[in-house]
Amino acid sequence: NPTGMCGSRVFSNYFTGGNIRMKCRGQEVRIWADSVASYTEQVVQFIGSFRYEDEATQVTSDFGTYYKADERWEATGNVVYLNRKDRSKLVGPNATYRRKVGVTRELQEVYADQRPTLTLTNGDSSAIAPEPYIVVADRVRMRGEDLMWGGGNVTIDRSDLRGRGDSLQLDTGKGNTGALIGHASIRRAASDSFALTGKRIDLG
């Protein structure tokens, strides 16, 4: 751990290259990259074939940057963010990830813009899990494993359902609720087909 990412202090600035592999001592954090540049132990850049894994998350991208001050990771270029527990996946040009940090940040947080695509599973562990929902929005934010917000020209689709709105909010955990807000519409193509439009459509 020469970067200071896990609390140690070794070098102020350093640069290294060639199939980098790193592990945070005493934590389930692993990192891969083509090369690394660390500046004053506060900002660390991972250049080329960046891959990050912790107990909850896996992220791959072209580039990654770590900011020690607020335990923030920024991934850019062909980003794939995977929730390792429920297998939900976000794909887009960028993502900002803030990992869970003791009592300072009780839940991990993810933010992405430039119209990422989010594949939402329901976490069902059965052999035949329900089809996932595909959410696309100008901006997406997730908190923990259950809370999700989408803003700007939101679409939510499955083979039997088509939803549209200015924004979307979902709680797939204990709350088990959600809402499409602003120019909202839902169309279902199944034996119980229906179409709804309104300023707000609540989901349960």
Side-chain angles (χ1 to χ4, degrees):
N1 173 39
T3 68
M5 289 182 297
C6 310
S8 66
R9 181 181 180 89
V10 181
F11 302 121
S12 179
N13 297 307
Y14 84 93
F15 311 90
T16 186
N19 192 26
I20 309 300
R21 299 183 181 187
M22 308 175 77
K23 183 180 186 302
C24 288
R25 187 177 295 114
Q27 300 182 36
E28 292 299 318
V29 175
R30 296 177 183 272
I31 303 159
W32 296 258
D34 291 341
S35 59
V36 176
S38 176
Y39 304 97
T40 65
E41 301 179 351
Q42 296 301 311
V43 177
V44 186
Q45 294 179 330
F46 298 87
I47 304 164
S49 304
F50 172 64
R51 179 179 172 187
Y52 168 93
E53 290 184 2
D54 63 24
E55 62 279 0
T57 299
Q58 177 181 301
V59 181
T60 60
S61 65
D62 294 338
F63 304 96
T65 305
Y66 169 77
Y67 298 90
K68 183 178 180 181
D70 59 351
E71 285 288 335
R72 181 174 90 252
W73 290 89
E74 292 184 356
T76 57
N78 300 302
V79 175
V80 179
Y81 165 90
L82 179 69
N83 183 310
R84 299 180 69 180
K85 182 174 182 180
D86 66 12
R87 311 308 290 179
S88 294
K89 182 171 69 174
L90 182 143
V91 177
N94 68 79
T96 298
Y97 172 58
R98 292 176 169 87
R99 67 190 295 259
K100 179 179 176 180
V101 183
V103 297
T104 304
R105 188 182 301 129
E106 297 181 352
L107 297 172
Q108 72 265 23
E109 299 176 358
V110 180
Y111 175 82
D113 59 13
Q114 299 183 50
R115 250 183 126 63
T117 297
L118 176 63
T119 301
L120 277 178
T121 67
N122 70 348
D124 193 332
S125 60
S126 64
I128 304 177
E131 182 182 351
Y133 291 99
I134 307 299
V135 177
V136 180
D138 292 347
R139 303 167 300 281
V140 169
R141 180 181 172 227
M142 294 180 285
R143 188 168 187 266
E145 298 172 359
D146 305 325
L147 303 176
M148 174 267 169
W149 297 266
N153 300 309
V154 177
T155 67
I156 177 168
D157 292 293
R158 200 169 65 174
S159 61
D160 61 344
L161 184 141
R162 174 185 171 94
R164 300 292 183 267
D166 294 337
S167 63
L168 168 70
Q169 58 189 46
L170 289 175
D171 180 349
T172 59
K174 294 180 179 180
N176 196 27
T177 59
L180 274 167
I181 303 168
H183 302 95
S185 67
I186 289 183
R187 296 181 181 273
R188 176 174 165 83
S191 58
D192 57 345
S193 297
F194 63 81
L196 288 174
T197 61
K199 292 181 179 180
R200 177 185 175 110
I201 299 175
D202 289 314
L203 314 170

